[in-house]
Amino acid sequence: MNRAASTSRNGDLPIRTRIRAFEGRVWKRLKRDKWMYLLLTPGLLYFIIFKYVPMWGIALAFKNYQPFTGFWHSEWVGLEHFRNFFQNPDFFRILRNTLLLSLYNLIFFFPAPIILALLLNEVRKAFFKRTIQTLIYIPHFISMVIVGSISYVVLTTEGGIVNELLFQFTGQKINFLADPGWFRPIIIIQTIWKECGFGTIIFLAALAGVDVEQYEAAVVDGASRWRQMWHITLPSIRSTIIILLILRMGDVLENGFDQIYVMQNALNREVSDVFDTYVYLMGITQGAFSYSTAVGLFKAIIGVLLVFSSNYLAKRFGQSGIY
């Protein structure tokens, strides 16, 4: 018996030795790079406290949460809130409004930073290039509330510059802020004006890595500037475009609460109600915390599925994905 126990201990010895060696390497690396890990700590704590810990709140989507009974003692109702949401007459209207805004963003906003970056890349005067970059970056740092206020001042029928010009030329005014047909174009124009310049940073950084010798060879072959852009510049940043498009797919059901809420009013609510404003309406103003959590969880699940699906399709077509 002692012999068997001795053999067992001897058999476990190499594993323990490897574990100790691994622990020694880990501690050695931690000691060597302690200041780098110290710099990592604030970011790590941020994600743990504000990203991972709040995930416990997902359980609210499966409970009939009552503030007086508390989180743990609220009744468990399973998928009841999801069924109520899908059977709600507002579901398809909200889904349609959200998808249409996301589609318009993909068609009009997503290519805008790429086009702007390509145009800026063709500017040879450094002074003009830096000036233009600075001017188009500034709107990114303006609050969406300020953007909404500017839109109101410009588009209002009472002294708005756009309506004043229309009245001078046509004798008529258009109530842009109350007409449901103008809501989506206004949102897209605001998004392009505010975020297009900042979005060019990534593409300009990608363009900076393009091999200059390719352009020189193209010039020798007699390629025009358009041909150089089409056959050299765009293929060189194709991987960046695809990665950003994949990440963009995760925000298909995310239209930005602040922008929509600022521009929303009683007259355009039929087209301006999206998932973000609906969650606010049900969760904050009506106190349906579990129901609004279920809606938010539905958005998150669809976003994750779209990211994985688009990444899979990109891989199938021979492109580099995000993983």
Side-chain angles (χ1 to χ4, degrees):
M1 183 179 296
N2 293 336
R3 190 174 186 181
S6 177
T7 303
S8 177
R9 287 194 298 270
N10 291 335
D12 292 341
L13 185 59
I15 298 177
R16 294 176 181 174
T17 304
R18 287 196 294 268
I19 292 174
R20 292 196 191 97
F22 174 75
E23 292 176 348
R25 289 195 299 269
V26 170
W27 283 110
K28 185 178 179 181
R29 184 174 299 176
L30 287 173
K31 185 177 180 180
R32 183 189 63 191
D33 301 326
K34 57 181 180 297
W35 298 115
M36 299 297 293
Y37 288 108
L38 186 62
L39 290 174
L40 177 66
T41 302
L44 188 62
L45 290 175
Y46 167 80
F47 276 95
I48 292 174
I49 296 173
F50 296 104
K51 301 295 182 180
Y52 289 100
V53 173
M55 283 186 181
W56 289 104
I58 292 175
L60 283 179
F62 308 97
K63 288 173 172 261
N64 185 19
Y65 174 70
Q66 300 295 331
F68 295 104
T69 56
F71 179 84
W72 299 108
H73 300 287
S74 295
E75 180 187 2
W76 186 272
V77 296
L79 300 177
E80 179 182 343
H81 297 302
F82 294 93
R83 286 194 296 268
N84 293 338
F85 177 54
F86 296 143
Q87 294 171 1
N88 194 317
D90 292 331
F91 171 72
F92 289 104
R93 178 176 61 87
I94 295 169
L95 181 64
R96 183 187 69 246
N97 293 340
T98 304
L99 291 178
L100 280 176
L101 275 176
S102 296
L103 179 62
Y104 292 160
N105 271 317
L106 285 175
I107 294 174
F108 298 105
F109 169 66
F110 184 78
I114 303 173
I115 297 171
L116 187 57
L118 293 174
L119 294 175
L120 286 174
N121 192 54
E122 298 299 317
V123 177
R124 293 292 173 257
K125 296 290 186 180
F127 172 76
F128 292 108
K129 187 174 183 178
R130 288 195 299 268
T131 303
I132 294 172
Q133 286 177 328
T134 302
L135 292 176
I136 62 178
Y137 291 165
I138 291 175
H140 171 76
F141 302 99
I142 300 177
S143 168
M144 190 53 71
V145 177
I146 304 300
V147 175
S149 301
I150 294 173
S151 301
Y152 178 83
V153 171
V154 172
L155 299 176
T156 182
T157 56
E158 302 298 329
I161 184 172
V162 174
N163 271 304
E164 290 298 325
L165 291 174
L166 283 174
F167 186 78
Q168 291 293 330
F169 289 102
T170 65
Q172 297 179 348
K173 293 184 178 182
I174 301 175
N175 195 350
F176 295 100
L177 301 175
D179 188 351
W182 282 100
F183 177 78
R184 295 188 185 106
I186 290 173
I187 293 296
I188 301 303
I189 292 172
Q190 285 180 343
T191 304
I192 293 175
W193 179 76
K194 185 176 186 298
E195 302 295 345
C196 182
F198 192 80
T200 59
I201 293 176
I202 297 175
F203 296 107
L204 286 174
L207 289 172
V210 180
D211 190 1
V212 181
E213 293 182 357
Q214 296 185 43
Y215 292 109
E216 295 173 352
V219 171
V220 173
D221 292 337
S224 63
R225 299 296 300 179
W226 170 256
R227 288 293 181 182
Q228 294 177 37
M229 183 184 298
W230 185 257
H231 294 288
I232 299 176
T233 307
L234 281 176
S236 299
I237 64 173
R238 181 170 52 195
S239 60
T240 304
I241 295 174
I242 292 174
I243 290 175
L244 291 178
L245 181 59
I246 293 172
L247 295 176
R248 182 71 185 176
M249 293 302 295
D251 292 330
V252 165
L253 299 184
E254 185 79 28
N255 298 124
F257 167 77
D258 49 354
Q259 182 183 15
I260 304 297
Y261 187 75
V262 166
M263 300 304 299
Q264 188 179 67
N265 55 59
L267 297 176
N268 62 22
R269 192 175 297 276
E270 184 64 25
V271 298
S272 64
D273 260 340
V274 294
F275 282 107
D276 298 308
T277 57
Y278 186 71
V279 168
Y280 171 79
L281 175 67
M282 300 303 297
I284 303 300
T285 63
Q286 297 189 17
F289 300 110
S290 295
Y291 182 81
S292 59
T293 303
V295 178
L297 182 58
F298 168 75
K299 281 177 45 186
I301 292 174
I302 296 299
V304 171
L305 291 177
L306 287 174
V307 168
F308 280 104
S309 301
S310 55
N311 185 78
Y312 172 77
L313 290 175
K315 292 282 192 178
R316 285 295 301 269
F317 285 100
Q319 303 299 325
S320 58
I322 57 176
Y323 63 89

